[in-house]
Amino acid sequence: MKIKYRFTFSWSEARVSQLESIGLEVDSTPNPGGPLGGIGISHVVEGASGWTEACNLIRAWDGRTTVTTQFTAAEVDGAAHCALQLVHASGYPQPEDDFAYLEQTYDVSKRCSTCGEGAVQVAPFRVKRTLKWGRNAFLKLNWVEEACFMQRPVWEEHLSRFGIGALPVEDTKGKELDDIIQLDLGPAVPLAMGEGHGIRCDVCGRERFPWHDRGFFPAPISPPDLPLFRSVQRFGVENACANAMIVSAEVVKVIKSAGLRGAELWPCMPPG
């Protein structure tokens, strides 16, 4: 695996020269209208030449660092389970004005007004028919991290045979759609979080964990013999958290062989 860093910073010729002097390239084209000439973007792999120096420079420039992990095909193929992380988003839950979809879709009687946790889905999501799928098999809605949508024919062909269930999805008037489904994520299973501690809401006390971005994903404790289940733990930031979606090796194989897009496979920690 490789731990990869993406740097974003206010562009200037001097800053580009500093990064180039330690072996990095700046990908972006400067925008003369920006405060320092636009936004610069650069990348580096953890441990590579110039990595430590680049991190220090970006911090000094008040830039932004995003970390992710690139796994080998063998690491993905050899995992007993993988987290399925949605990366393709389109559209908004309806009705979107004043976030009215919350009352429409969830029981919000125990939802925390500070962190947003505690809402329970009790009704189908409503969406516009203008969702943009492109060549993607998986889709999430903007504002909603915990729901995974698929086009019905794709689900029927590739995932329904494993027993992965589907929940109905409705149009804006409440009529069930025949071409889009929401995946039933199954039971909640605890993950082995190691020494990591979550962040507790000062108001409701519920715990959440930051998005996982380094190394293998936490492994499920006593995983059920199911193709798909979700984590007990919630990951994200205030008002944008989700249970992790965990799929079995058999489902991983189908996703890869069929080339299903719109989600990334993040292998869970090997046992032992």
Side-chain angles (χ1 to χ4, degrees), residues 32-252:
L36 289 178
I39 299 298
I41 299 174
S42 189
H43 303 81
V44 71
V45 173
E46 184 173 289
S49 175
W51 164 61
T52 300
E53 295 90 339
C55 289
N56 291 336
L57 287 172
I58 298 301
R59 191 179 302 113
W61 299 338
D62 291 327
R64 180 180 179 185
T65 300
T66 304
V67 180
T68 190
T69 305
Q70 178 181 329
F71 295 95
T72 65
E75 288 169 332
V76 176
D77 295 341
H81 295 91
C82 284
L84 188 71
Q85 298 193 344
L86 302 177
V87 295
H88 175 63
S90 177
Y92 295 85
Q94 300 299 310
E96 62 186 275
D97 291 345
D98 297 322
F99 301 102
Y101 77 92
L102 287 169
E103 295 283 351
Q104 171 66 43
T105 313
Y106 294 91
D107 175 356
V108 295
S109 60
K110 297 182 180 180
R111 180 178 182 270
C112 178
S113 60
T114 297
C115 70
E117 290 295 279
V120 178
Q121 184 180 349
V122 294
F125 276 96
R126 293 185 177 184
V127 301
K128 293 181 179 179
R129 290 184 176 272
T130 53
L131 294 179
K132 298 185 185 301
W133 292 86
R135 299 172 64 187
N136 295 288
F138 301 99
L139 178 146
K140 65 178 178 178
L141 299 171
N142 292 296
W143 302 343
V144 180
E145 295 292 337
E146 73 269 17
C148 177
F149 300 90
M150 297 187 74
Q151 292 173 306
R152 181 178 291 275
V154 180
W155 165 74
E156 290 177 342
E157 179 179 359
H158 298 293
L159 298 187
S160 64
R161 56 192 168 99
F162 291 105
I164 295 176
L167 303 174
V169 180
E170 298 177 346
D171 66 14
T172 56
K173 296 182 179 180
K175 180 181 178 180
E176 184 174 340
L177 297 171
D178 58 9
D179 58 343
I180 301 175
I181 59 96
Q182 178 189 354
L183 288 186
D184 184 343
L185 301 185
V189 175
L191 304 181
M193 300 303 295
E195 299 299 322
H197 296 284
I199 302 168
R200 290 198 178 275
C201 175
D202 292 335
V203 176
C204 70
R206 293 185 177 94
E207 186 179 35
R208 59 179 169 84
F209 292 83
W211 293 115
H212 188 81
D213 54 19
R214 295 177 57 86
F216 290 107
F217 202 81
I221 299 173
S222 301
D225 186 18
L226 293 172
L228 172 65
F229 52 91
R230 56 196 170 93
S231 66
V232 168
Q233 290 88 351
R234 302 269 290 173
F235 297 85
V237 297
E238 283 189 354
N239 295 291
C241 280
N243 305 90
M245 294 179 284
I246 310 294
V247 294
S248 67
E250 292 77 14
V251 175
V252 168

